[in-house]
Amino acid sequence: MNLSGCTHIKEDNCGIKKAVESGEIEKLRYENYIKIYNELKNKEEHKW
């Protein structure tokens, strides 16, 4: 599973998303990751 360069959100062939689908990673944990990712991305975009 190669995760480099993958945000685990938009990519179709993402090992993390597959692990969520199979139950290896809890869906709530993944949803929290997306929330934090988007908050940080939004903060970075409005930095200047």
Side-chain angles (χ1 to χ4, degrees):
M1 176 170 33
N2 183 3
L3 302 178
S4 59
C6 182
T7 63
H8 317 304
I9 296 174
K10 297 181 260 181
E11 301 79 10
D12 292 329
N13 192 20
C14 173
I16 297 298
K17 287 168 54 176
K18 288 179 182 178
V20 172
E21 290 172 9
S22 71
E24 292 178 69
I25 295 175
E26 291 183 35
K27 188 172 184 175
L28 181 60
R29 184 173 184 175
Y30 177 68
E31 290 169 352
N32 285 335
Y33 165 79
I34 293 172
K35 181 180 176 184
I36 292 168
Y37 176 89
N38 287 329
E39 286 174 0
L40 291 173
K41 184 178 176 189
N42 192 27
K43 186 175 182 179
E44 184 65 26
E45 288 174 356
H46 295 97
K47 186 176 183 179
W48 304 106

